[in-house]
Amino acid sequence: MGRILIRNARLVNEGRQFEADLLVHNGRIETIGSLDHLSAELEIDAQGQWLLPGMIDDQVHFREPGAPDKGSLHSESRAAVAGGITSFMDMPNTSPATLTLEALEDKQRRAAKHSVANYGFHFGVSNDNLDIIAALNPTTVAGVKVFMGASTGNMLVDDPQVLDRLFSQVPTILLAHCEHTPSIQVRQQRWQQLYGEQIPAAAHPRIRDADACYRSSSMAVALARRHGTRLHVLHLTSARELALFEDRPLAQKRITAEVCVHHLLFDDRDYSRLGHLIKCNPAIKSQADRDALRRALNSQRLDVIGTDHAPHTWAQKQLPYTRAPAGLPLVQHALPALLELVADGVLPLTTLVEKTSHRVADLFAIPDRGYLREGYWADLVLVRPEPSGQAVDEQPILARCGWTPFSGQRWRHSVSTTLVSGQLAWHQGRLNEDCQGLPLRFTR
């Protein structure tokens, strides 16, 4: 890897903004400071741009193996780096699911060939693989994911005895999708009696409501407290659930929580406009819930921001409610969308960087990433202001599904350059196909 010198940037790191140059050599940040005396093979004048550590996305569904019509490690990692995401952690509900060491190793081999972003993989839980989980080497997986509701196949785990054993034996961080399936099923049956398959999209947050989330997430928190489990609850959606989590520094907590991009940017008023395009599990809820999540980001109650990128084809999203799948593509537009919250004064830029980079690296024990520090891997993003606004629809959609819920919007910032492990991955609107992401390491 040649040397890359970024000049005249405004660095955003560890609660500070400051002007500096940054030199990348052999994949890592070699020097930060005033570097007028140096030169490099590639020099980038970043005057007027922010330089951020790349976003580390702890929750994506890149659909490989099993759903090539929806996405792949090749296609979705390219969308990610175009949006300033330099590292991702992929979920286990692929086909086959990541429930065995062989399935995990297969994903790692695929990523080594095809991913332009750095990569890690979560291991899945079923009712019959707890012995494998108990024997896992915690340095080989990003985390262990349990669907305590709303999953498919054999990954729904709601047996109290199985959950008790899991929470007591899991050797690494446990990630939980929390929804109470029985109550969801009852409510959906009521709506089906009224509408058949043509349930309106706006009913989704009523079927998968805050009570269904709270019943499951409160159970997960109680189990974690009983067993001392290192628990991370994924994609919080309701104000009520926030009370389950402490407003304390990350280092003082064993139970943490995540919020996702779409739950910060959409609310139930958007179903009339977007319909099933924003159908996701857990559901996007009320404006009051959205605003509570935004406020919690400015405290230490919510620890990280993820995307839960989960693409489906346009045709699948046009199906009636009972058949339209849940999930939406987000990685390419996540960071520019979140920067709208910064532009609106909802979230300080330093807090955004903390929740998308610093804390994710700390939470998952990823060494030498997530910060702008000398000696760290050069996972970097240059963000350029767009005074006239950049139309989302003017940019090609790199996710394989070919659509975005943000169509028609204009962003006030864009990603001009992304470096992944010191390699130029995205620059001036073009992908570098020679970039190869590296496997994330976990020091536990």
Side-chain angles (χ1 to χ4, degrees), residues 90-276:
D90 188 66
M91 286 297 169
N93 53 326
T94 46
S95 181
T98 317
L99 299 172
T100 65
L101 294 179
E102 291 77 14
L104 175 65
E105 291 164 359
D106 175 62
K107 277 185 157 182
Q108 291 168 336
R109 285 192 296 268
R110 291 169 183 262
K113 291 181 180 179
H114 301 301
S115 179
V116 298
N118 305 313
Y119 53 88
F121 296 98
H122 298 298
F123 202 82
V125 180
S126 69
N127 289 298
D128 53 12
N129 77 336
L130 295 191
D131 288 338
I132 298 173
I133 289 169
L136 278 176
N137 180 342
T139 67
T140 62
V141 295
V144 170
K145 166 75 175 289
V146 58
F147 289 89
M148 293 179 64
S151 184
T152 56
N154 67 337
M155 292 189 70
L156 172 60
V157 181
D158 55 4
D159 182 289
Q161 291 184 329
V162 174
L163 287 170
D164 202 65
R165 182 182 168 195
L166 171 66
F167 275 73
S168 67
Q169 294 184 350
V170 62
T172 186
I173 187 170
L174 179 65
L175 288 70
H177 177 132
C178 294
E179 290 184 282
H180 186 250
T181 301
S183 60
I184 291 170
Q185 291 172 338
V186 168
R187 278 187 286 276
Q188 182 164 325
Q189 288 170 2
R190 291 173 182 166
W191 281 88
Q192 281 186 270
Q193 288 171 0
L194 294 172
Y195 293 96
E197 277 202 338
Q198 302 301 323
I199 296 171
H204 192 54
R206 301 180 185 180
I207 293 170
R208 293 177 175 272
D209 66 3
D211 181 67
C213 293
Y214 184 83
R215 289 180 68 174
S216 183
S217 55
S218 60
M219 174 194 287
V221 169
L223 282 165
R225 287 175 178 162
R226 183 188 312 159
H227 295 291
T229 314
R230 183 66 190 84
L231 173 69
H232 184 58
V233 179
L234 298 167
H235 40 47
L236 287 197
T237 59
S238 69
R240 186 182 180 192
E241 289 173 282
L242 290 170
L244 296 168
F245 303 93
E246 297 175 307
D247 184 2
R248 300 172 62 185
L250 181 65
Q252 297 177 18
K253 295 193 284 189
R254 291 190 63 77
I255 300 172
T256 52
E258 172 207 271
V259 65
C260 287
V261 173
H262 44 304
H263 297 124
L264 293 168
L265 295 170
F266 297 111
D267 61 60
D268 58 6
R269 297 170 297 176
D270 294 305
Y271 287 105
S272 62
R273 177 172 57 92
L274 294 168
H276 296 149

Side-chain angles (χ1 to χ4, degrees), residues 291-313:
D291 291 347
L293 295 170
R294 290 180 174 186
R295 289 192 297 271
L297 269 180
N298 283 298
S299 71
Q300 300 190 78
R301 198 174 296 276
L302 283 174
D303 298 281
V304 302
I305 303 172
T307 68
D308 199 12
H309 172 89
H312 298 281
T313 68

Side-chain angles (χ1 to χ4, degrees), residues 11 56 115 140 150 289 367 371:
L11 280 64
I56 304 173
S115 179
T140 62
D289 288 311
Y371 292 85

Side-chain angles (χ1 to χ4, degrees), residues 349-364:
L349 179 58
T350 51
T351 301
L352 177 61
V353 169
E354 179 188 6
K355 302 295 174 85
T356 57
S357 300
H358 302 338
R359 279 202 169 201
V360 192
D362 295 341
L363 177 63
F364 288 92

Side-chain angles (χ1 to χ4, degrees), residues 328-361:
L328 54 160
L330 289 158
V331 289
Q332 185 173 345
H333 301 107
L335 187 56
L338 290 168
L339 285 165
E340 290 296 293
L341 298 180
V342 174
D344 288 337
V346 173
L347 196 65
L349 179 58
T350 51
T351 301
L352 177 61
V353 169
E354 179 188 6
K355 302 295 174 85
T356 57
S357 300
H358 302 338
R359 279 202 169 201
V360 192

